[in-house]
Amino acid sequence: MVGHGGPIRALAISPDGGSLLSGSFDTAVIRWSLKTDTAEQVLRYHADGVNAVVILKDGRMITAGADARIAVWTAGRQEPDRVLEGHVAPIAALAVSPDGSVLASASWDRTVRLWSLSDGTSRALEGHTQNVNGVAFLPDGRLVSVGYDLALRIWRLPDGQPEIVTLPAALNTVAVAPDGEIVTGAVDGKLRMLSTDGKVSGEVAASPTPVVALTMSADGALIAAAGIGGTVAIIDRKSRNLLRTLVGPGQPVWSVAFLPDRETLMTGGADGRIRRWNARTGDPIGSGLIGTPADPLAAYAGDHGADVFRACVACHTLSDKEVQRAGPTLAGLYGRKIASLPGYRFSDALKRMDIVWTPETVARLFEIGPNTYTPGTKMPEQRIGSAEDRRALTEFLGRATSR
């Protein structure tokens, strides 16, 4: 699979290191095999961007997003086993308790919710006065939450009483080391380390821009902190030293996750790509994009229409024999009514439209833009200003999707 059709907001690694789960602003979740670097399943349920993903020890997957919903999945199934509802604003982060029985969710509705993973019951922890952006469990079962209100709260469970620590900057993310040390990432680009009783014990300048994602190696030795400016700082947690800075393509890095080997880091960015890095050396590993062993348009070299279509390959395949990407396949496109392809989750707005795809309607789509022609679509806004380019594209689609 080429990848997502939008920025990658969340990454999670399975406990055995064999699978990767990625969630994107394109509303899709992809389960990847890290052994073959290929997509094994595309999960579609959320009506907005996916901000948080988790893989449980038993192999189940949990996804949450800007639609304020949490979905619990079994690998291989096309629909969620259970949907957890209670938040009334985007969900920003998820965490699972050390014993695997409780899920915590942080939301922009200014609450943290605790969910039983056995029966789905929940309760809200209230007190934050701004968006809650991060949650993490301490080894003893207490819960840490952080938000825009500068507050770090350490919640005693089950009574739900917090200890409150006020820090100098708004907080975007939090992680907890195996020994219980708390690490926060803030809008001032700094990491702050706190003891289990909330005492600040260290500080590291990780980025000149806000830190938006944070992860730790399994042994707690290394911290990876992603900045919105496109860099990832690798920090030795014990010495508080900045070891190196990983520099990608210059776009924001929204998500980071270590493999169990403690030195391979996965990053997801605004360009929709997932990259591997050796965190010890700072070197990129492999092609830098999961699932791209070959150019999917290599067979159409020299075709101007294929060149125009290249902007679309991140989301759409030309054949229904390929693994589906974030968007529906275009196989058999012409003559098909909009939002009628079986097996793909379309918005209700698209289902109500009376559009049949033809060279003329596709040309119109890109002449005035998806948001205008098909309001309610999740397709990224893009236009093709040249009538010649639009004609080349529609002629190419006629040849390539009718095979």
Side-chain angles (χ1 to χ4, degrees):
M1 174 174 272
V2 171
H4 284 285
I8 295 168
R9 179 63 181 83
L11 295 173
I13 308 293
S14 62
D16 64 2
S19 297
L20 169 71
L21 202 63
S22 58
S24 170
F25 287 179
D26 67 5
T27 77
V29 177
I30 301 177
R31 178 170 59 89
W32 307 85
S33 166
L34 289 176
K35 297 175 182 177
T36 61
D37 283 356
T38 56
E40 295 185 315
Q41 187 178 7
V42 180
L43 308 176
R44 292 184 178 84
Y45 168 76
H46 293 282
D48 211 330
V50 178
N51 294 330
V53 295
V54 170
I55 303 178
L56 301 177
K57 291 179 180 178
D58 62 10
R60 287 182 298 162
M61 303 166 288
I62 304 178
T63 63
D67 60 1
R69 295 175 180 173
I70 299 171
V72 183
W73 306 78
T74 294
R77 296 182 183 172
Q78 295 301 312
E79 297 292 333
D81 301 335
R82 174 180 287 163
V83 175
L84 307 177
E85 296 184 275
H87 285 297
V88 294
I91 297 167
L94 299 171
V96 179
S97 63
D99 65 3
S101 67
V102 176
L103 176 74
S105 55
S107 172
W108 287 5
D109 64 10
R110 304 182 181 185
T111 71
V112 174
R113 279 190 172 267
L114 300 176
W115 310 83
S116 167
L117 287 175
S118 61
D119 62 18
T121 56
S122 74
R123 67 183 176 118
L125 302 179
E126 299 178 341
H128 279 283
T129 59
Q130 294 289 335
N131 296 350
V132 188
N133 295 319
V135 283
F137 280 94
L138 289 166
D140 62 10
R142 287 179 297 161
L143 181 71
V144 181
S145 62
V146 298
Y148 282 157
D149 57 3
L150 315 185
L152 179 147
R153 288 175 170 250
I154 303 174
W155 305 86
R156 297 193 306 272
L157 303 177
D159 65 12
Q161 295 301 310
E163 299 171 35
I164 304 171
V165 180
T166 301
L167 294 174
L171 302 170
N172 284 329
T173 184
V174 64
V176 172
D179 62 9
E181 184 171 64
I182 302 164
V183 182
T184 66
V187 299
D188 61 2
K190 292 183 178 179
L191 304 186
R192 292 176 176 86
M193 292 76 168
L194 298 91
S195 62
T196 57
D197 60 359
K199 300 284 194 308
V200 176
S201 57
E203 181 179 294
V204 178
S207 170
T209 59
V211 173
V212 292
L214 192 63
T215 190
M216 266 188 258
S217 57
D219 58 2
L222 297 180
I223 302 169
I228 203 168
T231 60
V232 180
I234 305 298
I235 294 153
D236 183 289
R237 184 173 65 90
K238 291 295 186 182
S239 68
R240 319 297 201 206
N241 288 329
L242 176 64
L243 300 179
R244 64 194 52 84
T245 299
L246 312 182
V247 180
Q251 301 182 52
V253 175
W254 290 109
S255 50
V256 286
F258 272 106
L259 267 62
D261 66 9
R262 305 175 183 180
E263 63 179 31
T264 304
L265 181 71
M266 312 299 295
T267 64
D271 60 359
R273 299 189 175 194
I274 300 170
R275 291 177 168 82
R276 292 180 189 245
W277 304 81
N278 183 318
R280 299 282 179 184
T281 66
D283 296 327
I285 300 173
S287 66
L289 173 61
I290 289 181
T292 53
D295 181 356
L297 296 178
Y300 303 99
D303 188 316
H304 178 51
D307 291 338
V308 178
F309 179 74
R310 188 168 292 280
C312 309
V313 296
C315 295
H316 301 284
T317 66
L318 296 167
S319 167
D320 56 11
K321 302 297 190 296
E322 297 178 66
V323 176
Q324 197 171 66
R325 297 176 188 159
T329 181
L330 301 184
L333 177 66
Y334 289 157
R336 188 167 74 211
K337 186 178 184 294
I338 189 172
S340 65
L341 183 71
Y344 186 85
R345 187 182 181 90
F346 294 96
S347 69
D348 290 339
L350 293 189
K351 292 176 183 177
R352 290 191 292 266
M353 293 178 186
D354 191 25
I355 296 172
V356 174
W357 292 120
T358 66
E360 292 73 26
T361 55
V362 170
R364 184 63 173 164
L365 173 74
F366 289 108
E367 180 182 5
I368 65 175
N371 288 342
T372 300
Y373 192 60
T374 53
T377 184
K378 295 299 180 184
M379 182 176 177
E381 181 64 9
Q382 52 193 309
R383 299 180 188 177
I384 300 174
S386 165
E388 180 182 347
D389 286 351
R390 292 196 299 272
R391 183 170 57 254
L393 174 63
T394 58
E395 290 175 354
F396 167 73
L397 290 174
R399 296 191 300 272
T401 65
S402 61
R403 296 182 175 185

